[in-house]
Amino acid sequence: MKTAIDLFCGSGAVTWGLKDAGFNVIGAIDFDSTACATYRLNHPEVHLVEQDIKKVTPTIFSQTLDDVHVDLLVVCAPCQPFSNRNRKKSTDDDRLLLVLESLRFIEFLNPTILFFENVPNIGKSSAFYELEQRLIKLGYYVNPPQCVDAAELGVPQRRKRMILVGAKRNTLLQSVQDIKPYKKQTVFDAISDLPSPQICTPADDALHFARRHSALNIRRLQHIPHDGGCRESLPEDLQLSCHKKLAVKTNSFPDTYGRMKWDDVAPTLTTGCTDITKGRYAHPVQDRAITLREAARLQTFPDNYMFEGNSAQIANQIGNAVPPRMMARIAESLFKALSEEKMP
C-alpha cells in the first residue's frame, strides 16, 4: 500500500483523487472549518488536522505514521495570490509564503515523491524559486514546472495548472514525466442528463436548484443565444453601463453573462461558478446560472460526494478544488512509478 499526506486539503478533492488512484491517504491539513467538515464527511478515516499550517509542527503526524513511510506528499497551497483573476496582487500577501511551509513537513516526513499543484503564474514567483532551491538542498531531484490543462485529463473544464514533481531518486522523475492525455469530456457529457431544476427549492438532489435571478437578468439571458452565446448580443438598453465602459478594453471580464457550450469544455470554474455576473456560468440553453450540482460535476466530484455549508460556502469549496479526476489521472502515474521502480 502506497501512502500519502495531503497538505492544504480543503474539502478533500485531492484526497479523493489519490484514493481513486490507489493511495492510502493517512493525513491531511487545512484550516477552513466548513471545508474540513466536508472533508470529514467523505474521508472519516483520515487523520485531519484542522489548524493553520503555520502553527502546526510536522510531529503532529508522528503517531499516525507509526513507522509507516510516506510515499507521496501533495501540496496544493491557496492559489489566489498568483491567479490572473486576482486584480489586487501584492508582494506582501502572506499567502505567497504558504507554499514554503511545506518544507518543514518535507524535512520531517522525508517522502519519496513530492507533488505541487498551483496556477501557472506561481512559477514566476520568488517564493517558488526559493522552494525549488531548498528542495534540491534537501536531496530531491526536481522536474521543471509543467503546465497541464485539466481538459486534457478527462475533465469537462478548461483549467490550466502548474505541476511540479520532486523525487528522492531521478529514476522516479523519469517515470512520471509524460502524463498521457485522456478522451475529451464536454459540458454535454457532464450535465445534460440532469433534470431542469426548481428555483431555490432542492428536490431529490440538495445541490441541484436554480438561484433566483432578477427579472432584468432573466431578460438579459433571454437575449443571449443558446449554446455558447455571450453578452455582446444584448441590445443596448440591456447592457450594463460598466460593460459599455469596458468595451474599449481587452480581456475585461468578457465572459460575464455568457453561456456554456454543449460540445465544448466549461470555462475555468471559480468560487463564483454559480453566478452569471462572475463568468461564463449560464446554462447552455436554460435561462439561469448552472447549479451547484452542475458545477460539482464539471469539477468531476461524484454525485455521492457530500458537502457541508451554505450555498456560498459550497460554491467556494467547488471552485477552489483541484478536479478530483485530474488528480486521479496524475496520481495514477505517480503510483505506477512507485510500484514499478526497481531499487538498486
Side-chain angles (χ1 to χ4, degrees):
M1 181 70 74
K2 304 302 179 184
T3 60
I5 288 180
D6 184 0
L7 302 188
F8 308 100
C9 65
S11 56
V14 164
T15 291
W16 186 93
L18 292 172
K19 290 162 69 172
D20 191 53
F23 282 96
N24 176 28
V25 182
I26 59 176
I29 297 177
D30 205 275
F31 78 103
D32 185 297
S33 59
T34 308
C36 285
T38 294
Y39 190 101
R40 290 190 184 94
L41 273 179
N42 297 280
H43 311 289
E45 79 287 356
V46 180
H47 177 196
L48 172 63
V49 179
E50 186 181 333
Q51 292 186 48
D52 184 340
I53 196 170
K54 297 192 298 293
K55 301 176 181 178
V56 175
T57 59
T59 54
I60 200 166
F61 288 124
S62 295
Q63 188 172 355
T64 303
L65 294 173
D66 192 26
D67 295 327
V68 174
H69 176 70
V70 177
D71 294 294
L72 172 65
L73 182 68
V74 176
V75 183
C76 300
C79 65
Q80 287 86 350
F82 309 100
S83 174
N84 283 328
R85 293 176 179 264
N86 181 8
R87 306 282 170 144
K88 299 180 180 179
K89 292 185 177 72
S90 169
T91 55
D92 297 326
D93 193 325
D94 289 341
R95 293 174 297 177
L96 289 167
L97 301 178
L98 279 177
V99 69
L100 299 179
E101 292 293 332
S102 64
L103 290 164
R104 296 183 293 114
F105 290 84
I106 292 168
E107 190 167 10
F108 176 76
L109 298 169
N110 195 34
T112 305
I113 294 182
L114 310 171
F115 176 79
F116 295 84
E117 182 273 353
N118 217 290
V119 294
N121 281 348
I122 191 175
K124 304 174 184 177
S125 71
S126 59
F128 195 72
Y129 175 77
E130 180 180 346
L131 172 70
E132 289 184 282
Q133 297 306 304
R134 291 176 64 177
L135 289 178
I136 293 170
K137 289 182 179 179
L138 287 174
Y140 285 89
Y141 294 90
V142 182
N143 266 348
Q146 179 181 353
C147 185
V148 300
D149 189 339
E152 297 176 355
L153 297 175
V155 177
Q157 179 190 167
R158 185 175 300 104
R159 197 179 187 92
K160 292 185 178 180
R161 311 298 289 178
M162 185 283 305
I163 63 172
L164 179 82
V165 179
K168 278 293 186 181
R169 296 177 290 279
N170 194 39
T171 51
L172 285 170
L173 281 187
Q174 294 170 0
S175 301
V176 300
Q177 281 180 343
D178 296 321
I179 300 172
K180 296 181 179 179
Y182 285 75
K183 181 182 177 182
K184 176 182 176 181
Q185 298 293 303
T186 66
V187 172
F188 185 89
D189 296 327
I191 68 171
S192 64
D193 65 313
L194 290 170
S196 297
Q198 300 180 39
I199 297 176
C200 298
T201 306
D204 296 333
D205 184 344
L207 297 189
H208 193 48
F209 63 92
R211 63 188 299 162
R212 190 180 299 281
H213 298 296
S214 68
L216 182 57
N217 275 340
I218 292 293
R219 287 181 60 202
R220 288 183 175 121
L221 286 169
Q222 289 171 343
H223 279 82
I224 295 174
H226 287 179
D227 203 13
C230 62
R231 72 165 191 255
E232 291 179 0
S233 299
L234 292 176
E236 188 170 355
D237 64 311
L238 290 180
Q239 294 178 20
L240 280 75
S241 57
C242 59
H243 290 165
K244 293 177 183 178
K245 294 176 182 178
L246 290 171
V248 295
K249 301 179 181 180
T250 58
N251 299 322
S252 297
F253 307 102
D255 278 347
T256 57
Y257 290 87
R259 291 186 185 276
M260 294 182 182
K261 193 172 183 179
W262 277 134
D263 66 353
D264 199 358
V265 296
T268 302
L269 298 191
T270 67
T271 56
C273 56
T274 59
D275 186 342
I276 59 173
T277 71
K278 299 293 179 64
R280 188 176 291 273
Y281 301 137
H283 189 273
V285 297
Q286 298 175 23
D287 295 331
R288 60 174 177 81
I290 61 171
T291 67
L292 289 169
R293 169 59 62 212
E294 289 164 335
R297 282 197 177 185
L298 292 169
Q299 277 280 57
T300 65
F301 281 101
D303 284 355
N304 62 355
Y305 205 87
M306 300 173 287
F307 290 90
E308 284 281 6
N310 59 34
S311 296
Q313 290 169 327
I314 294 173
N316 282 339
Q317 293 172 59
I318 293 172
N320 282 330
V322 176
R325 187 178 298 162
M326 172 185 170
M327 187 68 244
R329 301 301 194 213
I330 296 171
E332 286 168 2
S333 66
L334 302 176
F335 189 92
K336 182 179 180 181
L338 285 164
S339 302
E340 295 182 352
E341 185 192 33
K342 296 179 180 180
M343 299 295 292

